[in-house]
Amino acid sequence: MLELRPNCEWCGCDLPPDSQDARICSYECTYCAKCVEEVLHNVCATCGGGLVPRPIRPSTNLRPEKKLGLGFHPASTERVTSGWSREEIDAFSAIWKDVPPHKR
């Protein structure tokens, strides 16, 4: 089950489950669109992978025969913070930002 983290791991802004600004990597590291563009340059600070829009989980159970939606699978409330310094992120991103994610 995809963990819907509640915040950008770099700037700390809130990213509620229905946020269209949330971006994730394949390990579910979560950042806001602004930080992905201006700080990370589409390079996850942890794994180096690309960052894509996070899917939006329906707020309600749209299939009564299933137990789906935020009511059954709520978003995480545990805030996560990047362990990398700005200098480390800048250096790492500089190496990989011009390499397409599928070639990293």
Side-chain angles (χ1 to χ4, degrees):
M1 179 71 51
L2 181 66
E3 179 183 6
L4 301 176
R5 295 181 183 171
N7 65 292
C8 173
E9 293 180 29
W10 182 250
C11 76
C13 74
D14 292 337
L15 295 171
D18 63 351
S19 175
Q20 295 184 46
D21 289 326
R23 303 289 183 265
I24 61 171
C25 74
S26 65
Y27 291 98
E28 300 180 40
C29 297
T30 304
Y31 301 95
C32 68
K34 182 177 179 182
C35 287
V36 168
E37 184 178 320
E38 296 177 6
V39 177
L40 301 166
H41 305 286
N42 196 32
V43 178
C44 175
T46 301
C47 72
L51 295 143
V52 298
R54 182 179 71 190
I56 294 180
R57 186 170 297 154
S59 59
T60 59
N61 184 15
L62 301 175
R63 293 229 179 240
E65 68 278 10
K66 300 283 187 180
K67 292 184 178 182
L68 301 172
L70 287 171
F72 292 100
H73 303 282
S76 174
T77 57
E78 183 178 336
R79 296 180 77 83
V80 178
T81 307
S82 176
W84 308 103
S85 70
R86 178 62 189 256
E87 293 77 22
E88 290 171 315
I89 288 174
D90 288 346
F92 192 65
S93 292
I95 295 168
W96 298 109
K97 69 181 181 180
D98 295 323
V99 179
H102 69 280
K103 296 208 176 203
R104 293 184 198 150

